Amino acid sequence: MNDIAHNLAQVRDKISAAALRCGRASEDVALLAVSKTKPASAVAEAIDAGQRAFGENYVQEGVDKIRHFQEQGVTGLQWHFIGPLQSNKSRLVAEHFDWCHTVDRLRIASRLSDQRPAGMPPLNILIQINISDEESKSGIPLAELDALADQVAELPGVCLRGLMAIPAPVSNYERQFAVAQQMAVAFDALKLRYPTVDTLSLGMSDDMEAAIAAGSTLVRIGTAIFGARDYTKN
Ligand SMILES: *Cc1c(COP(=O)(O)O)cnc(C)c1O
């Protein structure tokens, strides 16, 4: 087994263990392999090890990888855009990705909807919540969720699938769980209002257990699968 296959197996084991510990089925928690800054060859190793869902933060880099695997004839992959999205890049996301996790204003959602090609299924979107109330972070406060969700749900080119958050790092499990639980409460309420909502994108390497215990359905893991990122090359 190569490193990436080995790492993936370990991460999947950790997810299953965390799910079972809180009485959830391991299939209820999906793994998004965050491949930003990593070459297509690393993604190919993960694909060989059975991984299908990949997360990218930089639009052009993600589009290049999506095209690469299309040209190779690899089907069945799911590409998630998880980086901050500027309006001038929305078209590339709408035309190439399957999901966008970082919708935090109507203007971006409308552009994604308008720019989604007619032959593709609606773009799956998550509304990003600034759950730790950080001034520097993107995302909306929970108090604004219902209004934005109502508007987004009307757009024909996108499908509202749920919520995403990047909580401020805290090392204490209880505090991680408390924050994750706030997200889970909002997610459960949203699910009751919109039948398409089924995804809570929450949990990274350091807070995965707490996120899963609170109800996350999708954890985003990069370094533990692909190794440390080298930003000096970019
Ligand atoms: C980079 C990134 C991750 C993965 O982070 P790692 O520390 O490499 O596991 C998860 N979510 C988002 C939004 C990211 O930008």
Side-chain angles (χ1 to χ4, degrees):
M1 231 197 275
N2 65 36
D3 280 355
I4 289 175
H6 175 79
N7 293 345
L8 263 172
Q10 279 197 328
V11 169
R12 289 203 194 101
D13 282 350
K14 269 180 85 172
I15 292 171
S16 304
L20 294 178
R21 261 201 305 279
C22 57
R24 299 182 64 196
S26 55
E27 311 86 69
D28 294 347
V29 186
L31 169 61
L32 185 64
V34 178
S35 45
K36 63 186 177 208
T37 81
K38 297 296 176 180
S41 58
V43 175
E45 286 184 34
I47 294 170
D48 286 344
Q51 182 64 27
R52 293 292 176 267
F54 295 92
E56 290 284 337
N57 289 58
Y58 309 103
V59 177
Q60 191 58 54
E61 182 193 333
V63 169
D64 290 346
K65 285 178 211 170
I66 293 168
R67 286 203 174 114
H68 170 86
F69 288 103
Q70 274 166 355
E71 282 159 17
Q72 303 277 309
V74 181
T75 56
L77 302 183
Q78 241 186 45
W79 292 94
H80 297 233
F81 185 74
I82 63 173
L85 182 53
Q86 284 142 16
S87 296
N88 62 350
K89 299 277 178 66
S90 63
R91 179 174 296 279
L92 281 170
V93 171
E95 290 181 349
H96 296 278
F97 282 83
D98 303 296
W99 289 72
C100 179
H101 289 215
T102 48
V103 170
D104 62 358
R105 54 201 186 277
L106 181 60
R107 183 176 147 72
I108 279 283
S110 304
R111 286 177 69 95
L112 291 170
S113 176
D114 292 345
Q115 294 166 342
R116 186 68 167 172
M120 294 175 87
L123 180 70
N124 297 300
I125 64 172
L126 303 178
I127 294 178
Q128 185 175 357
I129 304 295
N130 183 355
I131 194 67
S132 309
D133 252 331
E134 292 173 283
E135 262 179 42
S136 59
K137 278 277 168 65
S138 26
I140 58 166
L142 274 181
E144 292 170 20
L145 172 59
D146 285 354
L148 183 59
D150 287 346
Q151 291 171 309
V152 164
E154 297 292 318
L155 301 171
V158 298
C159 179
L160 178 62
R161 298 293 296 269
L163 302 177
M164 179 269 209
I166 309 172
V170 292
S171 51
N172 173 309
Y173 178 90
E174 301 303 326
R175 287 173 63 196
Q176 290 176 346
F177 182 75
V179 171
Q181 184 112 60
Q182 283 182 275
M183 285 295 300
V185 168
F187 173 62
D188 287 340
L190 196 67
K191 254 200 298 204
L192 291 177
R193 297 175 58 211
Y194 298 103
T196 54
V197 168
D198 60 2
T199 301
L200 178 57
S201 167
L202 185 70
M204 297 168 54
S205 305
D206 293 333
D207 64 350
M208 191 176 86
E209 277 84 4
I212 290 171
S216 169
T217 70
L218 183 63
V219 294
R220 308 178 307 260
I221 309 287
T223 309
I225 298 169
F226 295 109
R229 286 180 288 275
D230 179 2
Y231 285 101
T232 60
K233 286 186 299 193
N234 290 0

